[in-house]
Amino acid sequence: MAATVNQCSLQAPQARQQAYEPVVMPARRVAASLGAAVLVASAVVMPAIAADLVLGEEIFSNNCAVCHAGGLNNIAGEEKHTLKKDALLKYNLFSVDAIVNQVNQGKDAMPPFNGVLSEEEIAAVASFVYDQASGDKW
């Protein structure tokens, strides 16, 4: 039996070495796998983003367009505070997070919408505003 134990102990390190050998995949196969993963991920994310923009546009039309139609600011004395990209950049508001914060807290003549709109609605309208500004769609 001692010989059997020794044979097993000699074979175990060899088996472990084989288990750690790297698996080399052809570059095309790796690229195809990554490409497929990106397509699957984008197929899941893109409809959600599109839905957020549709909801965001609806929220904007019902709550924001009174003062910000066309990305402008219709409040006297506040005309410089538009929703256009250059203004958002100037006032450090050119990100979805910054716009969410602005919508939540309000500022100057703009009332806070925290508690008026849901978190989902605020995120959607912020995404819509950012999309409009970043694409120069106003």
Side-chain angles (χ1 to χ4, degrees):
M1 253 208 247
T4 306
V5 172
N6 286 340
Q7 286 177 346
C8 288
S9 63
L10 290 176
Q11 291 176 357
Q14 291 172 351
R16 272 189 251 131
Q17 285 177 345
Q18 290 174 357
Y20 291 114
E21 288 183 24
V23 176
V24 178
M25 295 177 69
R28 286 185 187 177
R29 192 168 168 193
V30 172
S33 297
L34 289 173
V38 168
L39 285 174
V40 169
S42 65
V44 172
V45 173
M46 292 305 284
I49 292 170
D52 287 348
L53 294 178
V54 170
L55 175 61
E57 183 175 14
E58 181 182 330
I59 299 299
F60 185 88
S61 295
N62 294 334
N63 296 277
C64 313
V66 171
C67 297
H68 292 290
L72 301 174
N73 192 324
N74 302 323
I75 304 297
E78 298 290 322
E79 295 89 354
K80 64 184 178 191
H81 296 265
T82 71
L83 301 179
K84 297 190 179 208
K85 184 177 180 178
D86 58 338
L88 294 177
L89 284 167
K90 181 177 180 179
Y91 296 105
N92 296 316
L93 293 171
F94 191 61
S95 73
V96 173
D97 288 339
I99 297 167
V100 164
N101 188 49
Q102 182 79 19
V103 173
N104 270 320
Q105 296 181 5
K107 188 172 181 181
D108 300 328
M110 181 178 165
F113 284 87
N114 187 20
V116 175
L117 298 174
S118 70
E119 288 181 23
E120 178 189 6
E121 291 170 325
I122 290 173
V125 77
S127 294
F128 172 75
V129 168
Y130 181 81
D131 180 70
Q132 293 291 109
S134 64
D136 291 323
K137 298 176 185 176
W138 294 116

